[in-house]
Amino acid sequence: NLDAHDITLTGAVPGVEGLNIGAGYYEANYDLVGSGDTKEEGTVYATYAYGPVTVGYQVGAVGGQGANPASYKNQYLGISYAVSDDLSVSYNRTESAKIGAGYQPGESEYDSLSLSYSMGGLTLNIADADCTHCGYTVDKKQDERSVSMSIAF
């Protein structure tokens, strides 16, 4: 059985054009063979758009109790620039720290750079992502590059 609920509040800030804020909270109680597992998540964010530039920042935390008590503290930062109506470029950074009993503390860092081009119903995306201390493992690195195309009819 699962008993869960969440609440989210989002909206524009009156008097500050382009500024949006939001907050969310989630709680779940799992009854899996009497394990007593629970999970809580919370996050807050702000985005600000000025002309072709949008900047966003978010912080959040995930906590658990029971058989899997790992907790995480996360920070996200992103910036995008609309070069034209058809071309945009963005950069994102994520830092996630894992904490909890029975786990080796660690922090993973992700950086990504992407380019998107649209023409009619065709969209091309190119992305490059780098991870340091992936999976919360010291000195584990991973680099990925992807190219995707979508066509809308």
Side-chain angles (χ1 to χ4, degrees), residues 49-149:
Y50 183 77
V53 176
T54 301
V55 177
Y57 181 74
Q58 179 177 349
V59 293
V62 177
Q65 294 181 6
N68 298 306
S71 297
Y72 303 87
K73 291 183 180 179
N74 305 308
Q75 293 186 62
Y76 311 91
L77 174 67
I79 184 167
S80 65
Y81 176 67
V83 178
S84 68
D85 287 343
D86 301 324
L87 180 65
S88 64
V89 63
S90 64
Y91 168 78
N92 294 287
R93 177 162 179 87
T94 301
E95 295 177 358
S96 179
K98 183 178 184 179
I99 52 178
Y103 292 97
Q104 170 119 10
E107 183 172 300
S108 292
E109 300 170 352
Y110 306 87
D111 292 290
S112 66
L113 183 63
S114 60
L115 181 74
S116 180
Y117 178 74
S118 297
M119 179 174 57
L122 173 72
T123 302
L124 296 171
N125 292 301
I126 300 171
D128 181 75
D130 300 320
C131 176
T132 305
H133 310 305
C134 298
Y136 309 98
T137 303
V138 175
D139 295 329
K140 182 178 179 184
K141 295 184 179 192
Q142 183 173 337
D143 298 329
E144 295 179 358
R145 282 161 204 80
S146 64
V147 177
S148 64
M149 178 177 70

